[in-house]
Amino acid sequence: MKSPPARSLLAPLPLLLIALYALSILLANLTLNTFVPLPLYGLLSVGTIFFAAVFTLRDRIHRAGGLNAVYVAIAAALIVNTVVALLTGTPWRFIGASFLAILAGELADTAVYQRLIQRSWWTRVLASNAVSVPLDSVLFNLLAFWGDMPASQIAQIIFADIVIKYLIAALFAFRIRRAARAAT
């Protein structure tokens, strides 16, 4: 079996995707405690709208730059977001919750994606998101809001986070996949 060509982290596409990835997480963190009630059930954090793009961006980084580029993106996002949080006076509980949720969710997603690297892109994306979306949502919201909000509200936030992240990530994945097919 022929090995895939070496990919460079310095190529324009991986660098652009890494920057967008870190920016998406930053925007999510800056808007994490602003909520919109959903019509039937759930409290949607505005940050979720930005964070949903992260899952697809990371998968595209994986494809464009390989596993090392994914690790660089995760590290860059953690550093940028921690520095900005410290500079903006973000409470330590949000900084810690974000850091741990990003680290656990993104590394879990990357591990699943990597194990399925020989499978179709859709299989890799769906399986890795099936692990990382709930892990990130539950871990972040419990760490960020437990003790400050009633458990019923936290449950609504977690529910909305998971549903909206899946919907937005699916929309991004569909559009990216469609564009890639049109280009070939």
Side-chain angles (χ1 to χ4, degrees):
M1 180 193 285
K2 195 170 151 181
S3 61
R7 293 172 258 178
S8 172
L9 288 177
L10 300 177
L13 183 58
L15 287 176
L16 174 63
L17 292 170
I18 289 168
L20 290 171
Y21 174 86
L23 179 62
S24 294
I25 294 175
L26 178 61
L27 291 171
N29 285 340
L30 292 173
T31 57
L32 65 87
N33 60 349
T34 303
F35 297 97
V36 177
L38 296 181
L40 297 176
Y41 179 79
L43 287 172
L44 176 62
S45 166
V46 173
T48 298
I49 297 165
F50 296 109
F51 199 83
V54 166
F55 301 104
T56 302
L57 285 167
R58 187 204 41 261
D59 294 337
R60 297 303 294 178
I61 293 166
H62 208 128
R63 196 168 194 193
L67 184 58
N68 287 336
V70 173
Y71 291 145
V72 167
I74 294 169
L78 289 171
I79 292 166
V80 165
N81 283 279
T82 301
V83 169
V84 170
L86 292 171
L87 293 174
T88 59
T90 302
W92 280 102
R93 118 185 257 152
F94 291 154
I95 295 171
S98 177
F99 190 95
L100 291 173
I102 291 169
L103 192 60
E106 295 302 284
L107 291 178
D109 187 290
T110 301
V112 171
Y113 189 97
Q114 189 64 33
R115 286 181 66 86
L116 300 172
I117 201 74
Q118 299 301 322
R119 303 274 179 107
S120 73
W121 184 77
W122 281 106
T123 300
R124 293 188 308 259
V125 169
L126 293 174
S128 63
N129 285 353
V131 172
S132 62
V133 168
L135 177 62
D136 173 80
S137 296
V138 170
L139 187 59
F140 174 78
N141 288 299
L142 287 178
L143 291 172
F145 302 119
W146 192 262
D148 285 345
M149 297 176 89
S152 62
Q153 281 186 323
I154 295 171
Q156 289 185 58
I157 295 167
I158 291 170
F159 173 81
D161 269 10
I162 291 171
V163 168
I164 298 302
K165 283 176 185 173
Y166 278 142
L167 288 174
I168 293 174
L171 177 64
F172 270 99
F174 178 73
R175 290 183 59 102
I176 288 170
R177 182 72 170 168
R178 192 179 198 191
R181 282 192 174 169
T184 57

